Amino acid sequence: MESLLNEILMQCASYKQQGAVASYIPELAKADPEQFGICVVEADGTIHTAGQWQSVFTMQSIIKPVILLAALMDSGEERVRQLVGMEATGKPFDAFNYSDQALAAGHINPMINTGAIALCTLIQGATYEEKFRRLLDLTRELAGNDRLQVEESVFQSEKATGSKNRALAYLLKAYGMISDRVEDIIDCYFKACSIGANCADLARIARGLACHDHSSLQPAHARYVNATLMTCGMYDGSGEFALNVGIPAKSGVGGGIMGVVPGRMGIGVYSPALDKKGNSVAGIKAMELLSQRLNLSIF
Ligand code: GLU
């Protein structure tokens, strides 16, 4: 497996030049576009790595499946379904244009910003600090890594520039979908996006979702999360990804991609140069090749 992973990184290396690191969160612009790493954790826990798999990057949207999971665990499926739907949006992750649709639960997917911001309200905790702590603890448990923490500089950078997310949260409030203080909710969301992780952390979280055997994970919740990843995990590139790779996955603008291969393995990839939709260009290529070589598509 290691030689296959090394071969894949070599074959996909040229794709790093085809993307650009995210700059709308200023701190993310400091990422080194040459970084490229991958990790596979098999069902039995065997770990395989290649490249810069130990590099730490912020999870960004890859925390969204964990937010969904926490909301399911803490508030139950019924309340989650009252707040967010399941359908693919076909829109960018921070889409603002709800003009031809009422802002209603059925039109909000938990893998785009509006849905994830709304779901922060359903995490257990008397304050948003407590809710964030609960989310961080769950992420650490799933990743099997107690050292996961917020990258403070990225958090401050997004907090200082995140007007669009703030506006999305106010939109939710205007439509009566959330009632708490927007600044508290949004701080929890920004902190969640700023949790630092490496490829092995992502692969371990994904392995739990793939195998349904993690003590903190109910199989029904894992199925819920995985199905949602399939519809919208790769933003408005999810259909293409389903065709070319064929596994539930989640990307983040930090350059990570987490792939869930049901019953078989979890995958973490990192390469920070992104395409226009916000997905890692070389990361997607690596996933495509891995899927072809190991016959991973669930279709
Ligand atoms: N923190 C980022 C934002 O909300 C996450 C976006 C992403 O990774 O897609 O803009």
Side-chain angles (χ1 to χ4, degrees):
M1 180 75 91
E2 259 77 14
S3 59
L4 172 64
L5 296 181
N6 278 304
E7 191 189 321
I8 287 174
L9 292 193
M10 244 159 61
Q11 281 187 30
C12 298
S14 64
Y15 288 98
K16 290 184 281 190
Q17 273 89 53
Q18 292 187 16
V21 300
S23 56
Y24 76 100
I25 300 173
E27 196 64 20
L28 293 184
K30 295 181 180 165
D32 171 7
E34 281 308 310
Q35 293 272 312
F36 199 8
I38 189 164
C39 173
V40 166
V41 177
E42 295 190 60
D44 67 1
T46 312
I47 177 167
H48 308 278
T49 56
Q52 279 101 32
W53 65 276
Q54 294 185 82
S55 296
V56 173
F57 48 91
T58 51
M59 291 178 74
Q60 299 297 335
S61 272
I62 302 170
I63 198 67
K64 286 175 177 144
V66 189
I67 293 177
L68 172 59
L69 196 61
L72 285 166
M73 291 167 81
D74 295 351
S75 294
E77 187 172 334
E78 205 180 316
R79 284 193 65 202
V80 166
R81 291 307 298 264
Q82 280 163 5
L83 200 55
V84 295
M86 282 298 289
E87 304 308 329
T89 64
K91 289 177 184 164
F93 63 89
D94 56 355
F96 213 77
N97 175 15
Y98 284 96
S99 59
D100 48 2
Q101 280 179 335
L103 188 60
H107 303 148
I108 301 176
N109 187 293
M111 294 305 131
I112 57 162
N113 292 12
T114 326
I117 292 167
L119 285 179
C120 286
T121 64
L122 297 189
I123 299 172
Q124 193 168 38
T127 63
Y128 277 84
E129 258 112 63
E130 277 183 33
K131 287 177 196 284
F132 174 71
R133 188 66 217 187
R134 150 86 180 132
L135 183 71
L136 179 62
D137 286 345
L138 179 62
T139 312
R140 286 175 170 174
E141 257 173 66
L142 293 169
N145 183 355
D146 278 349
R147 294 181 314 279
L148 294 187
Q149 59 182 11
V150 172
E151 299 289 310
E152 190 60 27
S153 57
V154 178
F155 166 57
Q156 292 300 342
S157 181
E158 186 163 8
K159 188 175 159 83
T161 56
S163 305
K164 207 167 176 188
N165 283 320
R166 218 166 253 119
L168 286 172
Y170 276 108
L171 201 64
L172 287 167
K173 189 152 185 173
Y175 277 82
M177 301 185 73
I178 56 175
S179 54
D180 295 338
R181 259 190 81 219
V182 161
E183 287 303 323
D184 294 341
I185 302 173
I186 214 77
D187 260 15
C188 175
Y189 171 75
F190 289 153
K191 267 192 214 155
C193 290
S194 305
I195 295 173
N198 66 25
C199 291
D201 298 317
L202 301 190
R204 286 207 183 87
I205 297 172
R207 196 213 69 86
L209 287 166
C211 298
H212 300 182
D213 59 356
H214 194 286
S215 54
S216 313
L217 247 183
Q218 284 182 35
H221 291 162
R223 271 194 293 276
Y224 193 119
V225 171
N226 294 344
T228 315
L229 293 182
M230 210 69 236
T231 69
C232 215
M234 300 298 286
Y235 312 118
D236 41 340
S238 299
E240 199 74 30
F241 191 84
L243 193 66
N244 297 332
V245 183
I247 59 168
K250 185 75 204 83
S251 58
V253 295
I257 304 178
M258 175 177 91
V260 177
V261 190
R264 287 180 67 182
M265 63 180 68
I267 306 166
V269 186
Y270 172 55
S271 170
L274 312 177
D275 64 18
K276 295 221 155 50
K277 293 178 174 174
N279 293 318
S280 166
V281 184
I284 285 192
K285 283 289 160 195
M287 287 281 202
E288 275 178 26
L289 221 55
L290 192 64
S291 177
Q292 282 163 20
R293 296 289 292 272
L294 299 179
N295 204 11
L296 299 181
S297 174
I298 62 172
F299 302 108

